Each structure stands twice: as C-alpha cells, then as structure tokens.
Amino acid sequence: MTRQRKRPEELRSHRWYGAQDLRAFGHRSRTLQSGFAREDFAGKPVIAIVNTWSDINPCHAHFRQRVEEVKRGIWQAGGFPLEMPAITLSEPFMKPSTMMYRNMLAMETEELLRSYPVDGAVLMGGCDKTTPALIMGATSMNLPAIFMPAGPMLRGNWHGEPLGSGTDTWKYWAELRAGRITGDDWRDVEEGIARSPGHCMTMGTASTMTSAAEALGFTLPGAASIPAADSNHSRMASYTGRRIVDMVWEDLKPGDFLSARSFDNAIVTTQALSGSTNALIHLIAMAGRAGVKLSLDRFDELSRQTPVLANVRPAGQKYLMEDFYYAGGLRALLGEIRDLLNLDCLTVNGKMLGENLDGAKVYNADVIRPRANPLASSGGLAVLRGNLAPDGAVIKPTAAEPRLMKHTGRAVVFRDYNDMAARIDDEKLDIDENSVIVLQNAGPLGGPGMPEWGQLPIPKKLLAKGVRDMVRISDARMSGTSYGACVLHVAPESYIGGPLALVRDGDLIGLDVAARRLDLKVSAAELAKRRAAWKQPVPHYSRGFGTLYEKHITQANEGCDFDFLHRGGEPIPDPEIH
C-alpha cells in the first residue's frame, strides 16, 4: 500500500534540531561535538537503535556486530542512527526472575523514545522477556518501530547426538539424579549444549515470542527463524536498518498494524508451533498496550482449531530451530495455515501478511508437517479452569505423557521453593508416581516475579524407578524449553489467597485436559474453614523497584503488566523543549 510521505520539517526530531533558538543551538552543537557533520543529521530521520547487548547476556553476544550492520542500513537509507543501550534481561543469570524486570525494560524503552529526538526505532532483542518488553514499550510510545530478532543459536552436540537448550538440560539432569549418566557425561553435556551466540534453539519462549512478533507484523518477513550465526542474519540486520527509515517517512506506527486480528494471528502461530506457555502472559500484556482486550479464553478457542505443525522440541522429539530454518522457517509454516490467518493484516514492510507468505515453501515435511500429518490435530496449549484455578491455568499437552491428561491423584504440597528443595528427594517423603506435586507461593507476587520453577522436579526415588513425568501444579511459569504434565500460571496465585494456597497434603486433585478442568476435590465448607485460617505473607520489598512492582503488578491471566501501563486515558504528549 502507498502511504503519504512526511516532509523533513514534519519529523519529530525537527523540534530539537530545526529551530533557530538557543536550545536547538545546544542540540546541534553537542551533536557536532560527537564528531557528526551537519550533513549527517540535518533533515534526516533520527533512528534510535535500542540495543539490549550486555556481557552477561550470551543470547545477544553478537549484537555488538549486529548494531553496526543495522547502522549501515540506516545510513544507506538516509537516516541518522543513534545507538541507545537498554537494560538486558538475561534469562540464565537475572534473579529472582527476568519476568520481574520485563516491565522495567518496557518502561525504559518507552521513555527513551519519548524523551530524546527520535523519529523511529529498531528494537534489538530475542532473549525471552526482551521481545515482549521492547514491543510493549514501543507500542505505548507509538513511533515507527521495527523489531530485529536475535536468532536462535546453533544446535548443541554431545557424543554425536544433537542437544537442545533447556530441554536436554532437564532431561540429562534427571538422568544424572537417577544415576544413569556420570558426572563426566554431565560435564560434556554442559560444554556442548550452547555452541554459538543466539537464544535457545528449541521452541522455547525466545523462538516463540520472536515468531509471534513476526506474525504480528513487527519484523521483516522470515526474520525470526534465521540462526544468529548465519550470514543471512547480518544481512537481515542491514535490511531492518534500511526499512525503518522508510517507515518514518511513511509514518507507519505500531498502532497502524496492531489489532485484535493481528493478535489472533500471533496466537494461531503460537499454537501451530506448540510454543511456550509464557506466550499467553506476554501476548496479553502486549495486546493491552495496543488497546486490545485479550483473554485466556481466546487462546483456548484458537487452540482447538489450530493443528501443531512444528516438529521442534520440546513438543517434537527430534528437531531444533536450525532444522526449522532449513525446512523453510516461519513463512513456510504460516503458508501451511493460511486459511487460519487474517491475511489482510498490515506488516512493517508495508505489505499485508498474505503477500509476505507468497512463494513460501516447505523443504522438509517432517520438520514442518503438512496439514494431513500434524504433530497434533489441535491443542498446542490448553487453558484450564475449575475451583483450583477460577481465573485460569495453562498446560502444554503436546509436551506431556498422554496417560496424565486425565488424572486424579493425592496432593503432595510444598509451601515454597525452599521447602521443595529441602524435601523433594527425602526418601521418607510420602509420594508415588500417581501423586500430584503442588508448589505454592511461586506466582507474580509470591516468587517474586513468577520464576520458571513450574517444571517441578520428580523425586529421586521415583526417577530411579523409571518415572519421568507426573502431574505438577503451581502458580509459577516454566521455561518454554521445558516439558511434562505441568499445570502453570494458576490464578489467582496462592500468595494473595487464591485456592492454590488452601491445598493440603492428601487432598485429591483432578486434571482433565480434554474437559479443560482443574479441580480440588474438597468440600466448600472445608475450603471456607481453611480460608478463614489463611494469613497473607509479608511483602518481599520495602523500597526500590520491588516496591513499585508489588504495588502494581497484575495477575498472570491479565498479563503481569503494571496496572497503570495498559492503554487508557489521554496519550502522553511529547515533552516541551525549553
């Protein structure tokens, strides 16, 4: 589609640079101080490159090089690039949880773009929470913005076998605890599982969210699937830089292409990938920033009609993101489900989603399955409700043992993570393979930060018997690379007195995924008695960001955004320049 182009004096940055007054003199002279010539910036779109590179984030280790390639594209297209570092959310290292700081990066992104002479932005991210955070902030600011995904790392290797990040970590940790591999084997796995820059190469949260960003229209077509180490990734970075300059002249903003229909596309994509359970929380929060009301029920509606076509771990048994890219990548998968997508949704390259899928082909029909041979006919993710989760919970059926999809067992309850760590391998623990493991106080407030503890460990004595999956329930999240019959995001959380807080050892819990039910089989009278005796835990924080977080965080079914950051009220105006 053709959009009317701006004139240089209509650029937002012109307010800083274009006037003939004392303040503009200062802006120009300080830019000259940095070594730039007037010809570099005068009358040109100023592009912020929001770079989440850090030495502590191996997923973004290549961003030092990629940012120069983005700059090259911006220069080539006649823009003026300004790199603006932002807090990195490094999934392996940041405690208590990157989820606690997702909203902090979103706020930083929004305020960077608002407070500086910026006309458009390139968002550089990929590690799990970075993608939704950057998009949330840019959506709230609503300047022309394009997302540049970090790309998955290369597949791992151990004794000639491919290793998948996260997924094989949990697998071989269980084998080590069961005594089936040695400490030397474990060290070899450790040294072979992460072999290049880039985010997790399984269908974890990182690949799920970058794929969702592409389906939303926030990336160039095909950008999300390119491995970080591939030279195509470097070229994509430069293409992204070139495109953002035209987006500024066209005034193509997130508000122009984000809608309820584009978020449906992202949900369908997530389901067809059997993507991370974390996607529910992030997409709800992202939609809220765009003024779109998204409920858990919508995820379940679309899940029931969307086949799982991506045979990628952990839902798949064999392949990784590198294989997915060689098989045609996300464009090929979306081409297989064209009839389930809203093809007339606009994207950042100025074309409709359907146009971007033209010519896409599948090159390996075992990696990206045809509709006639899906990995599962539906249900990549399932939303559960019942008296144990009145506001919802989530499970990934494709990553669990089928025998557990309808199960009733007696609860073995841990009041928090430390209690679980202290007792889970105790030989005297009264537990068997039919029990239901319950972890309390691991939600948005209880964790705090809703850590990825939801793939609760199976007791060592049961691992030794060959047990590899059990029903596990918590108000925590789990890594998108994880697997098992894990019920997650139970809402409301136990820390604020949700029904999960009332579960006791020996209670019967019923799970029925087909019926979408999760029920605590305890009488209403007994639950009322327990509720009367329940006491609110003390807050974790008395100052700083933690206090802001505790006062304003919403529950999992509402996206865990801050309650004052959803779109509402009058837009915040650009700052006055004095």
Side-chain angles (χ1 to χ4, degrees):
M1 61 183 297
T2 302
R3 299 174 69 91
Q4 185 173 352
R5 292 175 72 86
K6 282 186 174 181
R7 292 174 288 119
E9 58 270 24
E10 294 177 310
L11 293 172
R12 183 173 180 269
S13 59
H14 183 77
R15 298 176 61 238
W16 276 261
Y17 284 118
Q20 297 304 313
D21 59 19
L22 180 61
R23 290 304 174 208
F25 169 90
H27 302 148
R28 292 190 296 266
S29 67
R30 293 301 186 176
T31 304
L32 293 166
Q33 178 189 7
S34 299
F36 296 109
R38 294 179 191 277
E39 294 78 9
D40 290 333
F41 62 88
K44 294 183 177 182
V46 178
I47 307 299
I49 307 172
V50 184
N51 189 355
T52 52
W53 173 88
S54 169
D55 274 332
I56 198 66
N57 194 339
C59 303
H60 298 175
H62 54 314
F63 275 9
R64 272 182 161 173
Q65 176 183 342
R66 292 295 177 270
V67 72
E68 297 305 318
E69 293 156 348
V70 172
K71 288 179 183 178
R72 183 174 68 208
I74 293 170
W75 285 119
Q76 288 170 343
F80 178 45
L82 293 176
E83 182 181 357
M84 294 185 175
I87 186 175
T88 199
L89 307 182
S90 179
E91 197 65 34
F93 293 101
M94 198 173 205
K95 308 301 177 187
S97 162
T98 52
M99 187 64 186
M100 183 166 167
Y101 296 100
R102 182 199 68 184
N103 299 342
M104 186 175 185
L105 174 56
M107 292 173 72
E108 182 178 15
T109 300
E110 179 179 352
E111 299 308 328
L112 277 174
L113 301 184
R114 175 173 293 112
S115 58
Y116 284 109
V118 170
D119 299 302
V122 173
L123 313 170
M124 296 180 60
C127 192
D128 293 14
K129 313 306 176 294
T130 309
T131 300
L134 290 169
I135 290 176
M136 287 161 67
T139 300
S140 291
M141 184 55 202
N142 203 32
L143 289 180
I146 187 170
F147 184 74
M148 195 217 79
M153 69 177 94
L154 300 178
R155 66 172 74 89
N157 184 275
W158 177 58
H159 297 177
E161 293 295 322
L163 291 176
S165 49
T167 303
D168 282 319
T169 302
W170 323 127
K171 172 183 174 181
Y172 288 109
W173 177 241
E175 297 304 310
L176 179 70
R177 292 172 65 229
R180 297 191 179 187
I181 64 171
T182 67
D184 287 342
D185 291 329
W186 177 244
R187 187 175 67 177
D188 288 346
V189 170
E190 182 178 299
E191 294 176 354
I193 201 165
R195 296 175 43 244
S196 79
H199 56 66
C200 289
M201 80 303 260
T202 43
M203 189 52 71
T205 305
S207 286
T208 301
M209 293 313 302
T210 57
S211 297
E214 183 172 331
L216 278 173
F218 238 112
T219 79
L220 293 178
S225 307
I226 308 170
D230 195 301
S231 62
N232 285 296
H233 197 271
S234 296
R235 290 192 286 275
M236 180 270 292
S238 290
Y239 294 148
T240 298
R242 290 198 285 276
R243 177 56 193 157
I244 187 58
V245 177
D246 281 339
M247 287 178 66
V248 169
W249 290 125
E250 297 166 9
D251 199 28
L252 177 55
K253 305 179 296 297
D256 298 321
F257 59 84
L258 294 181
S259 65
R261 299 173 79 251
S262 63
F263 276 98
D264 277 355
N265 287 341
I267 295 170
V268 168
T269 299
T270 298
Q271 299 288 2
L273 295 169
S274 194
S276 170
T277 48
N278 288 298
L280 280 76
I281 294 176
H282 296 317
L283 286 171
I284 288 172
M286 292 158 67
R289 298 300 189 94
V292 174
K293 181 68 175 177
L294 192 55
S295 71
L296 288 179
D297 293 334
R298 187 59 177 159
F299 285 86
D300 204 62
E301 289 168 13
L302 295 175
S303 172
R304 292 175 182 272
Q305 66 187 51
T306 305
V308 178
L309 302 185
N311 188 12
V312 178
R313 294 193 233 173
Q317 297 299 311
K318 183 177 181 181
Y319 298 111
L320 299 166
M321 286 301 296
E322 195 176 344
D323 307 297
F324 184 72
Y325 175 62
Y326 300 145
L330 187 66
R331 286 180 66 244
L333 180 137
L334 296 182
E336 289 291 306
I337 55 170
R338 289 180 68 109
D339 59 305
L340 301 178
L341 299 169
N342 299 305
L343 299 175
D344 58 347
C345 287
L346 186 63
T347 70
V348 291
N349 71 342
K351 297 181 179 180
M352 300 300 172
L353 178 65
E355 295 177 84
N356 291 337
L357 301 182
D358 290 343
K361 294 181 180 179
V362 175
Y363 299 106
N364 186 327
D366 193 37
V367 180
I368 300 173
R369 297 285 187 87
R371 294 286 284 274
N373 183 32
L375 198 68
S377 59
S378 65
L381 301 172
V383 174
L384 310 172
R385 294 187 187 272
N387 72 341
L388 190 51
D391 291 338
V394 63
I395 190 171
K396 184 189 288 191
T398 51
E401 292 186 8
R403 64 182 178 85
L404 295 172
M405 293 300 90
K406 187 172 184 179
H407 181 83
T408 298
R410 60 184 179 86
V412 177
V413 181
F414 299 99
R415 64 181 178 274
D416 57 31
Y417 189 90
N418 290 331
D419 180 34
M420 181 186 69
R423 295 194 294 126
I424 192 69
D425 286 335
D426 188 338
E427 287 291 329
K428 297 179 182 178
L429 183 68
D430 184 14
I431 192 170
D432 60 32
E433 58 269 32
N434 295 311
S435 299
V436 174
I437 304 176
V438 174
L439 175 65
Q440 299 168 333
N441 295 306
L445 285 163
M450 206 178 182
E452 292 184 341
W453 296 337
Q455 192 192 20
L456 308 178
I458 293 172
K460 186 182 293 186
K461 66 182 181 182
L462 297 183
L463 289 171
K465 291 174 58 177
V467 177
R468 291 297 181 270
D469 199 5
M470 297 174 64
V471 174
R472 290 159 275 179
I473 300 172
S474 72
D475 44 17
R477 297 176 299 111
M478 76 175 183
S479 168
T481 67
S482 299
Y483 54 89
C486 301
V487 178
L488 311 156
H489 311 181
V490 172
E493 65 174 307
S494 53
Y495 185 89
I496 64 171
L500 191 68
L502 309 180
V503 183
R504 300 289 181 266
D505 284 337
D507 290 348
L508 290 181
I509 295 177
L511 169 67
D512 188 338
V513 174
R516 301 298 200 259
R517 296 293 303 178
L518 181 67
D519 289 299
L520 178 61
K521 299 180 182 298
V522 174
S523 70
E526 174 61 21
L527 290 178
K529 179 181 176 182
R530 293 180 188 180
R531 182 170 298 283
W534 178 82
K535 293 182 179 180
Q536 170 75 54
V538 298
H540 294 283
Y541 298 97
S542 60
R543 60 175 300 278
F545 180 75
T547 295
L548 176 71
Y549 176 91
E550 289 187 324
K551 287 181 178 178
H552 294 286
I553 195 70
T554 60
Q555 288 290 292
N557 60 300
E558 299 171 305
C560 293
D561 200 359
F562 289 160
D563 53 19
F564 59 85
L565 288 176
H566 278 65
R567 178 173 287 182
E570 294 298 319
I572 299 175
D574 275 343
E576 295 183 0
I577 299 176
H578 297 301

